[in-house]
Amino acid sequence: MLVFKDDGDVISSDAEIKVQGNAIVLYYGREIWAGQIASSAFMVDAIVHDNGGRNDVGLLALLTPQQNAVHEDSDFLQSDDESMSRCGGTTQAANYQFTLAVSTPGEVNDCTTGVTGRPRIAPVEAQGPTDIIINEVEADNPKQDEQEFIELKNLGAMEKSLDQYTLVLYAGNRATPSAYNVIPLTGQTIGANGYFVIGSSQVPNADMNFAQAKNNLQNQIAGVALYYGKETPFNIGMPVTKINMVDAIAYTTRSSTLKGYKGQKLQNFMNLFVPGQTLIFEDPAHTKENESMSRCFFTDSFRSNSYQLLAATPGKLNACGYPPKSIDKVIIGG
């Protein structure tokens, strides 16, 4: 657990929590030391807070974008010590899910009183069911791109029909980003808490094959989007649409793309496709083996920092290691 002061430096790993412009971050699999600059790399949860009536713009943008800090008002409870208690859900890095409530260390949070913070800008929300998500994408193989795949995951406890779902692959490096492939999932099903893999013929555990044997996923600036519903017609060449989009991931496998990361073409695509998120780089030099962009620890849609580069595991549990905990309660003062 790390505590950051308002200039972004680590106070220490076991410091007394300060009172203005601070953040508390939970990391997994990363070494941190006092004096290190704040980072969202390997972050699994965070809360940005203050009791001085101000927002720290830098920490908010880095750790909990598009949200206000949690403001702990010492006058909120006159007779009891209060804490910032998680009451609004289990989404990580969500300041707005914390409530000022009676302090209950080591016990169930008291969510019967208090006021939650609210996001300044509403986060992107799926426009349809959220129990089917994009779980893993392999867009670039070490040799001939013959083992590319997209894996969906069913978060529900029942088998589900995919009749209403469509995958659309977008080319983001065009003057007007547009679809280069449309994959209806009509007639397919996904098992309870299970996986559904769309892949090349050589992909293990593939439930459905791409039309071509190789080179099905673009390697430059590109995106994979999952839609629910048939109200919107999906066609090759169509521009990006957010209507009925339930999840999406934007990526590249070319380092040359990253050199122009701040270019207008890329920014236009990101703003259209996954606003507020970052481009994922599937680095072909990451390992000599087949790696994928694998979802780890977070299950909410449209969250780029939930993906890590790991060994490809089509149709199986992603190789994420032991899942970390989330921040549940913060008590400042006594």
Side-chain angles (χ1 to χ4, degrees):
M1 182 82 72
L2 275 299
V3 180
F4 293 101
K5 58 183 179 180
D6 54 8
D7 62 3
D9 285 346
V10 173
I11 297 173
S12 82
S13 59
D14 56 357
E16 174 187 356
I17 300 174
K18 305 299 180 182
V19 296
Q20 288 191 335
N22 285 332
I24 300 169
V25 184
L26 181 64
Y27 290 102
Y28 180 78
R30 179 181 178 181
E31 183 179 356
I32 306 288
W33 57 90
Q36 186 170 349
I37 299 299
S39 171
S40 60
F42 295 92
M43 181 184 86
V44 295
D45 201 7
I47 175 174
V48 179
H49 66 90
D50 76 88
N51 68 359
R54 64 190 177 94
N55 278 325
D56 183 273
V57 177
L59 286 176
L60 286 168
L62 177 66
L63 303 174
T64 57
Q66 299 184 343
Q67 300 177 51
N68 285 317
V70 182
H71 176 58
E72 185 177 21
D73 185 352
S74 58
D75 296 325
F76 177 69
L77 294 175
Q78 296 293 330
S79 57
D80 293 293
D81 192 18
E82 78 266 1
S83 70
M84 294 172 282
S85 301
R86 183 184 288 276
C87 290
T90 58
T91 300
Q92 289 93 335
N95 296 331
Y96 57 91
Q97 293 186 347
F98 283 84
T99 296
L100 292 188
V102 175
S103 177
T104 57
E107 300 177 2
V108 176
N109 291 353
D110 179 5
C111 297
T112 59
T113 61
V115 180
T116 58
R118 296 296 178 192
R120 278 199 311 275
I121 303 172
V124 176
E125 294 183 357
Q127 299 186 27
T130 57
D131 50 353
I132 306 296
I133 58 174
I134 298 170
N135 195 57
E136 189 176 1
V137 176
E138 160 56 300
D140 193 21
N141 304 143
K143 295 182 179 180
Q144 299 295 324
D145 281 350
E146 295 174 335
Q147 295 188 18
E148 300 167 321
F149 68 88
I150 301 167
E151 178 187 84
L152 305 179
K153 181 172 175 60
N154 181 5
L155 301 176
M158 298 180 64
E159 182 180 85
K160 189 173 181 65
S161 168
L162 296 177
D163 280 350
Q164 294 293 314
Y165 288 88
T166 303
L167 279 168
V168 179
L169 310 184
Y170 287 101
N173 60 335
R174 298 173 179 173
T176 300
S178 57
Y180 67 90
N181 199 0
V182 175
I183 307 172
L185 301 180
T186 305
Q188 306 294 333
T189 59
I190 184 170
N193 299 303
Y195 306 97
F196 184 87
V197 177
I198 306 97
S200 304
S201 58
Q202 295 189 31
V203 173
N205 303 316
D207 300 285
M208 178 179 176
N209 291 137
F210 289 125
Q212 301 180 111
K214 59 182 180 179
N215 297 322
N216 287 281
L217 295 178
Q218 182 167 303
N219 289 327
Q220 297 187 33
I221 303 169
V224 177
L226 179 66
Y227 292 90
Y228 179 84
K230 301 295 185 181
E231 297 86 356
T232 302
F234 300 108
N235 303 296
I236 293 176
M238 62 177 267
V240 174
T241 178
K242 296 290 290 182
I243 298 173
N244 294 332
M245 186 186 289
V246 296
D247 200 8
I249 174 176
Y251 70 89
T252 184
T253 68
R254 296 287 183 262
S255 58
S256 57
T257 303
L258 297 182
K259 294 178 182 179
Y261 185 80
K262 295 183 180 180
Q264 194 60 47
K265 183 184 293 185
L266 175 59
Q267 289 306 308
N268 288 343
F269 175 60
M270 297 300 289
N271 291 337
L272 284 170
F273 194 60
V274 281
Q277 297 299 304
T278 56
L279 189 74
I280 301 171
F281 179 32
E282 186 185 353
D283 186 354
H286 179 71
T287 174
K288 293 181 180 180
E289 305 301 324
N290 226 15
E291 84 265 358
S292 70
M293 296 170 280
S294 301
R295 182 188 285 272
C296 292
F297 311 132
F298 301 96
T299 58
D300 42 325
S301 302
F302 305 105
R303 185 160 189 161
S304 59
N305 69 349
S306 64
Y307 291 92
Q308 299 182 19
L309 286 187
L310 298 169
T313 57
K316 299 180 180 180
L317 184 69
N318 290 353
C320 302
Y322 187 77
K325 302 295 184 180
S326 60
I327 297 171
D328 185 62
K329 195 188 336 270
V330 178
I331 302 170
I332 298 180

